[in-house]
Amino acid sequence: MDPLEHGDLTVVDGLQINNWDRKVLEELKAGGVTGVNATCAVWEGPQETLRAVADWYELARDNADLVVLAENADDIRQAKRDGRLAVLLGFQNTSPFGDDYRMVEVFHRLGVRIAQLTYNIQNLVGGACYDEHDSGLTAYGRFIISEMNRVGMLVDLSHVGNRTSRDAIDASAGPVAITHANPLSFADSPRNKPDDVIDALAARGGVLGCCLYPNVIGGEKTTRRQFCEMVAALVERIGPDHVALGSDCTRNWSQDYVAWLRNGRWRPASAVPVEPQWPVWPNWFGGPADFPVLTEGLLEVGLDETVVAQVLGGNWLRLFDTVFPGAGQ
Amino acid sequence: MDPLEHGDLTVVDGLQINNWDRKVLEELKAGGVTGVNATCAVWEGPQETLRAVADWYELARDNADLVVLAENADDIRQAKRDGRLAVLLGFQNTSPFGDDYRMVEVFHRLGVRIAQLTYNIQNLVGGACYDEHDSGLTAYGRFIISEMNRVGMLVDLSHVGNRTSRDAIDASAGPVAITHANPLSFADSPRNKPDDVIDALAARGGVLGCCLYPNVIGGEKTTRRQFCEMVAALVERIGPDHVALGSDCTRNWSQDYVAWLRNGRWRPASAVPVEPQWPVWPNWFGGPADFPVLTEGLLEVGLDETVVAQVLGGNWLRLFDTVFPGAGQ
């Protein structure tokens, strides 16, 4: 058998939050990425999010040679055959649902397939990773999860508080995801996850996307080998079915977008002592074009080819197959 | 051949603006109505309209034995076979699109298939039937129509100003509708249409739904025979392919809904000298349960059975077949 090549894999990235344009789409193509969860809301409410979704319809139509909007795993598999990128629309917050659980179905019909419950701070649904006191999953949050289960939308626990994450794993009828975070034991960040959350996620069939964002890998100095050894250790501990990647790439944004991510409209910029800056990425992974080095790195640390294929995309596809067909249309 | 029976027809109503619940759905069933354009926005903006659409998803799910949300004419034909009512979601205004032409595609994906350009007063798209000066179709209005053409959404000119109506008929790549209005020559109301508008509509393959609303038939005293003779005369004048029905039924609303229809949020209730009241319907047509009398009445005034079948539903189905498959998804 020929050795595994990156180009043979159906590479699926658990999350990217780029400022999407044709050049960025080409970066993903250069990196051999076939599927991606593309963030189209962070702090936005229902109406603003409609515009973001409409932006995607337009971008996809204008670049149909490169990209297709996917609604399930088969759309991603088809994109692989067509040599295109399949984009799953995703939210990093439940703000697009406002206070109306029925907006889950509305956005599902518009093509949204993944929603993170909270983004950094407490919201109507639950507590977030930077909250001092995590409310746990709220009464409204339970209806949101039940509705996401019904229509077939994947619950994402990245940026979510640990208590709310445990509650959500228990509340969800099906497996859930942490699309972009690492074990807390690898790098000490509120964004990373303690073992009890990761274990509960895996026990229910969920998937964790190991994340390349500098702040959650211990900074730019972390080596490719260290990152890949963390992935391999996680595969060893929770099993090969539950580990994937979620790069958290942030391509093509200007500096002020960091301030939007951090402050939204919930606090004045003046409340933050130091103006937020984009972190420096490690020299071995600067963006979606660098995905091939991950395949290489995972093989180097001794993961077998089957497991590498699972981590690079197979596990996301299986999870999508499980969650998305619930579509209640 | 057996004589035509109402139950044999696929009855499609060009517009009803009921306060929908199970009891109202049963009234349509009692009237042998299979398809209906159900208004789910009059003054509402994008976000409020999302809620109205979500209301429909919920109502349809909770009453799946009686009703299905239709997206094309075949869904209506299937509903006839299943003995269910097929609801096309429709707007009586372009307010749900706000100032963003891309919302046409967004609401199309949510199932909306018909949108009236204006409701009673000038808006971003054009002038309305009660305006002293009709702007004509605006620059934005041209993009709205072009986008409706592209995705497959029917342009409705009821309540629209005559100048804007003529502009819209010319601007649209395909046929358009007047879902609920009558010839001005039948009853003098700003809501009714002069011959030049009706003729232009028909010349482009459009359909006019003759309307039962008391204010546009000359009041409750108008007889069934007078109404049916008007329909027959119109068939004679513009041809059997262009005449249908649009009852404008307003079932199950409380009195204050009339004020909402008239005043929206654009003028204070105090600006209106007399508090608006629902008009009294003629004794031969009080609601959707009374559709069979129309079949009877049209046969009585001498329309042949084929034409009656066209007027009661066939012409709407043909127009929907022409307009909806454009769906740009």
Side-chain angles (χ1 to χ4, degrees):
Chain A
M1 196 176 129
D2 290 336
L4 179 77
E5 288 191 25
H6 183 76
D8 301 331
L9 300 172
T10 302
V11 176
V12 181
D13 190 356
L15 187 132
Q16 294 188 22
I17 178 172
N18 306 311
N19 185 13
W20 295 90
D21 64 7
R22 188 167 177 91
K23 195 159 153 278
V24 170
L25 294 171
E26 281 165 348
E27 288 182 9
L28 274 82
K29 194 182 167 80
V33 179
T34 293
V36 64
N37 165 26
T39 297
C40 59
V42 178
W43 298 112
E44 290 79 2
Q47 188 166 342
E48 295 168 290
T49 307
L50 290 185
R51 295 196 208 279
V53 167
D55 284 343
W56 261 110
Y57 294 165
E58 215 161 39
L59 186 73
R61 199 158 50 241
D62 291 347
N63 297 278
D65 57 320
L66 273 183
V67 65
V68 62
L69 290 176
E71 301 199 352
N72 54 51
D74 281 344
D75 289 345
I76 301 175
R77 296 184 182 101
Q78 183 61 46
K80 175 71 184 174
R81 290 189 288 273
D82 297 341
R84 294 199 288 180
L85 172 70
V87 166
L88 290 166
L89 299 182
F91 297 157
Q92 283 203 54
N93 204 345
T94 44
S95 52
F97 305 143
D99 62 358
D100 189 344
Y101 72 93
R102 301 168 316 164
M103 292 304 110
V104 172
E105 180 171 3
V106 164
F107 281 105
H108 182 269
R109 282 187 65 131
L110 292 175
V112 175
R113 287 294 177 275
I114 301 173
Q116 188 174 279
L117 298 185
T118 64
Y119 186 76
N120 293 355
I121 60 166
Q122 176 77 45
N123 67 15
L124 281 68
V125 162
C129 61
Y130 290 105
D131 284 319
E132 194 177 350
H133 305 289
D134 175 346
S135 68
L137 188 67
T138 64
Y140 175 60
R142 288 180 190 280
F143 287 110
I144 287 289
I145 287 187
S146 146
E147 194 68 353
M148 290 176 74
N149 289 161
R150 184 180 71 79
V151 302
M153 192 182 286
L154 179 62
V155 173
D156 184 357
L157 301 178
S158 319
H159 293 256
V160 175
N162 293 324
R163 182 176 167 186
T164 296
S165 294
R166 290 294 303 266
D167 287 349
I169 292 165
D170 290 345
S172 178
V176 302
I178 297 169
T179 64
H180 59 301
N182 293 318
L184 190 57
S185 55
F186 177 64
D188 189 15
S189 158
R191 276 273 288 105
N192 285 335
K193 302 296 180 185
D195 285 352
D196 68 302
V197 169
I198 296 175
D199 292 348
L201 176 97
R204 297 292 300 270
V207 173
L208 179 144
C210 294
C211 184
L212 280 303
Y213 195 72
N215 299 3
V216 298
I217 62 169
E220 57 174 313
K221 295 284 198 300
T222 297
T223 65
R224 185 180 76 169
R225 174 168 282 271
Q226 287 171 316
F227 180 82
C228 290
E229 280 172 346
M230 175 271 289
V231 174
L234 192 61
V235 165
E236 179 69 23
R237 199 171 71 72
I238 65 173
D241 291 346
H242 307 292
V243 183
L245 296 173
S247 71
D248 210 359
C249 283
T250 58
R251 301 296 291 169
N252 198 33
W253 288 112
S254 58
Q255 203 57 240
D256 56 354
Y257 192 70
V258 203
W260 166 246
L261 289 179
R262 302 286 163 78
N263 305 333
R265 287 175 286 240
W266 66 276
R267 64 178 174 190
S270 60
V272 187
V274 179
E275 199 185 337
Q277 302 285 320
W278 289 116
V280 179
W281 288 65
N283 59 13
W284 50 273
F285 192 92
D290 291 332
F291 261 82
V293 305
L294 294 172
T295 298
E296 213 176 295
L298 293 173
L299 291 167
E300 263 176 30
V301 298
L303 287 181
D304 75 35
E305 297 190 349
T306 313
V307 174
V308 170
Q310 284 183 275
V311 171
L312 263 292
N315 284 334
W316 286 133
L317 291 172
R318 191 196 66 249
L319 183 66
F320 298 162
D321 276 330
T322 307
V323 173
F324 298 157
Q329 300 313 318
Chain B
M1 196 177 129
D2 291 335
L4 179 77
E5 289 191 24
H6 184 75
D8 300 332
L9 300 172
T10 301
V11 176
V12 181
D13 190 356
L15 187 131
Q16 294 189 22
I17 178 173
N18 306 311
N19 185 14
W20 296 90
D21 63 8
R22 189 168 177 91
K23 194 158 154 280
V24 170
L25 294 171
E26 280 164 349
E27 288 182 9
L28 274 82
K29 194 182 167 80
V33 179
T34 293
V36 64
N37 165 27
T39 297
C40 59
V42 178
W43 297 113
E44 289 80 0
Q47 187 167 342
E48 294 167 290
T49 307
L50 290 185
R51 296 195 208 279
V53 167
D55 284 344
W56 261 111
Y57 294 165
E58 215 161 40
L59 186 73
R61 197 157 53 240
D62 291 348
N63 297 279
D65 57 321
L66 273 182
V67 65
V68 63
L69 290 175
E71 301 198 353
N72 53 51
D74 280 344
D75 290 345
I76 301 174
R77 295 183 181 102
Q78 183 62 45
K80 176 71 183 174
R81 290 189 288 273
D82 297 340
R84 294 200 288 180
L85 172 70
V87 166
L88 289 166
L89 300 182
F91 297 157
Q92 283 202 55
N93 204 344
T94 44
S95 52
F97 305 143
D99 61 358
D100 189 344
Y101 73 93
R102 302 168 316 162
M103 293 303 109
V104 172
E105 179 172 5
V106 164
F107 281 106
H108 181 270
R109 282 189 62 131
L110 292 176
V112 175
R113 286 294 177 275
I114 301 173
Q116 188 173 279
L117 298 184
T118 62
Y119 186 76
N120 293 354
I121 61 167
Q122 175 79 44
N123 66 15
L124 281 68
V125 162
C129 61
Y130 290 104
D131 284 319
E132 195 178 349
H133 306 289
D134 176 344
S135 67
L137 189 66
T138 65
Y140 175 60
R142 289 180 190 279
F143 287 109
I144 288 289
I145 287 186
S146 146
E147 194 68 354
M148 290 176 74
N149 289 161
R150 184 180 70 79
V151 303
M153 193 183 284
L154 179 62
V155 173
D156 185 357
L157 302 178
S158 319
H159 294 256
V160 174
N162 293 325
R163 181 175 169 187
T164 297
S165 294
R166 289 293 304 265
D167 287 349
I169 292 164
D170 290 345
S172 178
V176 303
I178 296 169
T179 62
H180 59 300
N182 293 318
L184 190 57
S185 55
F186 177 65
D188 189 15
S189 158
R191 277 272 288 106
N192 285 336
K193 302 295 180 185
D195 285 352
D196 69 304
V197 169
I198 295 175
D199 291 347
L201 176 96
R204 297 294 299 269
V207 173
L208 179 142
C210 295
C211 185
L212 280 302
Y213 195 73
N215 300 3
V216 298
I217 62 170
E220 57 174 313
K221 297 282 198 299
T222 297
T223 65
R224 186 180 75 168
R225 174 167 282 271
Q226 287 171 317
F227 179 83
C228 291
E229 279 173 347
M230 176 270 291
V231 173
L234 192 61
V235 164
E236 180 69 24
R237 199 171 71 73
I238 65 174
D241 292 344
H242 307 291
V243 183
L245 296 172
S247 71
D248 210 359
C249 284
T250 57
R251 300 296 290 168
N252 197 33
W253 287 113
S254 58
Q255 203 56 240
D256 55 354
Y257 192 71
V258 202
W260 166 246
L261 289 178
R262 302 286 164 78
N263 305 333
R265 287 175 287 241
W266 67 274
R267 64 178 173 189
S270 60
V272 188
V274 179
E275 199 185 338
Q277 301 285 320
W278 289 115
V280 179
W281 288 66
N283 60 12
W284 51 272
F285 192 92
D290 291 333
F291 260 83
V293 304
L294 294 171
T295 298
E296 214 177 295
L298 293 173
L299 291 167
E300 264 176 30
V301 298
L303 287 182
D304 75 35
E305 298 191 349
T306 314
V307 174
V308 171
Q310 283 183 276
V311 171
L312 264 290
N315 284 334
W316 285 133
L317 290 173
R318 192 198 64 249
L319 183 65
F320 298 162
D321 276 330
T322 307
V323 173
F324 298 157
Q329 301 312 319

